[in-house]
Amino acid sequence: MRIGKILLSSIIVIAGILLSGCGTGKEISALTSVSYRYTSGSMVYSNCSYSLRSVKGKYIARIRPVGVPDEKAVETEVDETVMREIEAVFKKYEVGQWDGFKKYNRNIRDGRSFSLSLTMKNGDSIDASGYMEWPKNFSSVRQELDAIFMKIYQAHCPESR
């Protein structure tokens, strides 16, 4: 009887931990680098890449939108507020939960993909990738990152407006 109670109590505690999400994902704080890429098809220049990194106290963004060749990518210094804005997006959509996401739908030959890599000041990192498989809130994160980076791109590339 006593062993049964202990076993039942243990099962309840373990289930509670698993259901509460304790220990899953990473907390995002003080980002030092972001690298985000996605493809939107298989046509020429259908992939997009954004990166933002801290280099000796400066923040350097590199932006190559869909439809733009590599030689027309923009690399420019931005204010730290851009990194904090991106950090807020990742917190809002719980991107820390994406760490380790690596799913691929092998049944689709001509699909879309993404990869995300984040590094934080404390040394933690988050890596996720997928091919025709997406983590929770992927579309919202993509839309907000597109808006942030395209604003910078358009400010430095007037012909893109």
Side-chain angles (χ1 to χ4, degrees), residues 20 35 38 46 55 67 93 96 125-126 139 142 151 155:
S20 72
S35 176
Y38 66 85
S46 65
V55 179
Y93 294 109
S125 63
I126 293 173
S139 294
R142 178 179 164 173
K151 183 178 174 185

Side-chain angles (χ1 to χ4, degrees), residues 7-78:
L7 184 58
L8 181 61
S9 296
S10 298
I11 290 171
I12 290 171
V13 169
I14 291 170
I17 290 171
L18 292 174
L19 292 174
S20 72
C22 181
T24 61
K26 293 181 181 176
E27 184 176 337
I28 293 175
S29 65
L31 291 174
T32 57
S33 73
V34 174
S35 176
Y36 175 64
R37 299 168 192 255
Y38 66 85
T39 60
S40 59
S42 60
M43 294 177 46
V44 175
Y45 310 127
S46 65
N47 58 330
C48 175
S49 65
Y50 303 135
S51 67
L52 182 59
R53 64 192 189 286
S54 174
V55 179
K56 297 180 183 178
K58 296 180 181 183
Y59 291 84
I60 309 299
R62 184 173 193 289
I63 305 158
R64 196 186 69 62
V66 169
V68 174
D70 286 337
E71 61 271 10
K72 295 238 179 175
V74 167
E75 187 164 300
T76 187
E77 184 177 341
V78 297

